[in-house]
Amino acid sequence: MTWKIRPNCPEDVTQLADIYLSVRRQTFTWVDPGKFHREDFAAHTNGEVVSVCEGADGIAGFISIWAADDFIHMLYILPEFQGKGAGTALLKSLPGWPEHNYRLKCLVNNRDAKAFYLAHGFQVTGRGASPEGDYEELSFTPAPVE
């Protein structure tokens, strides 16, 4: 599948909020789904750089980064597009990828996401707790140039 990565635009906000809401409710089964709201997307991405992944069938997902800290805050892909390269395309679109250090937090119970990040060169570098459960901090450190 061919993916196009582009900056989000105002017309995307409703669809991205729907993706964020539905994927969280489907994935974070250990959290009360009533804790997730459509308005969360705008609040949680405020001040972040959001990029959209599009295919022939429309928007597949998005990535949100806090650029000042090289922190990947969110990467969400609709279930029907997971495992088809959309998440990889979003990672590869990051500024300086793969020569740049990035980090993120991944909920321990989100095993599929952790496997995805580990397969893309991230390593566990810390642990913590959040309202949604325990998480691991994952860091991407480029391989040294020989």
Side-chain angles (χ1 to χ4, degrees):
M1 201 171 253
T2 303
W3 299 109
K4 175 185 174 189
I5 309 300
R6 62 172 177 78
N8 74 315
C9 57
E11 296 80 28
D12 297 327
V13 172
T14 299
Q15 191 171 0
L16 297 180
D18 288 343
I19 291 170
Y20 187 48
L21 178 64
S22 68
V23 174
R24 288 167 77 205
R25 285 184 172 167
Q26 291 171 21
T27 304
F28 304 153
T29 56
W30 58 91
V31 179
D32 174 5
K35 293 187 183 254
F36 302 130
H37 307 282
R38 185 168 278 104
E39 300 78 23
D40 293 344
F41 177 77
H44 295 174
T45 59
N46 186 30
E48 297 184 352
V49 177
V50 179
S51 297
V52 174
C53 180
E54 275 186 312
D57 297 326
I59 294 177
F62 67 91
I63 192 168
S64 172
I65 64 169
W66 186 256
D69 290 333
D70 300 320
F71 184 76
I72 301 169
H73 184 212
M74 296 184 242
L75 194 163
Y76 283 83
I77 306 295
L78 286 168
E80 60 266 32
F81 298 112
Q82 291 177 10
K84 297 183 178 178
T88 299
L90 284 165
L91 282 180
K92 288 181 175 180
S93 76
L94 291 171
W97 183 269
E99 290 83 30
H100 197 74
N101 295 319
Y102 282 96
R103 62 187 185 83
L104 57 92
K105 293 176 182 175
C106 184
L107 294 172
V108 171
N109 287 338
N110 195 352
R111 291 179 179 88
D112 290 343
K114 182 179 175 185
F116 169 82
Y117 291 119
L118 293 177
H120 284 82
F122 285 81
Q123 297 179 335
V124 177
T125 54
R127 292 176 179 19
S130 75
E132 290 83 29
D134 292 345
Y135 66 83
E136 293 176 320
E137 184 170 315
L138 303 175
S139 298
F140 179 84
T141 304
V145 178
E146 296 180 17

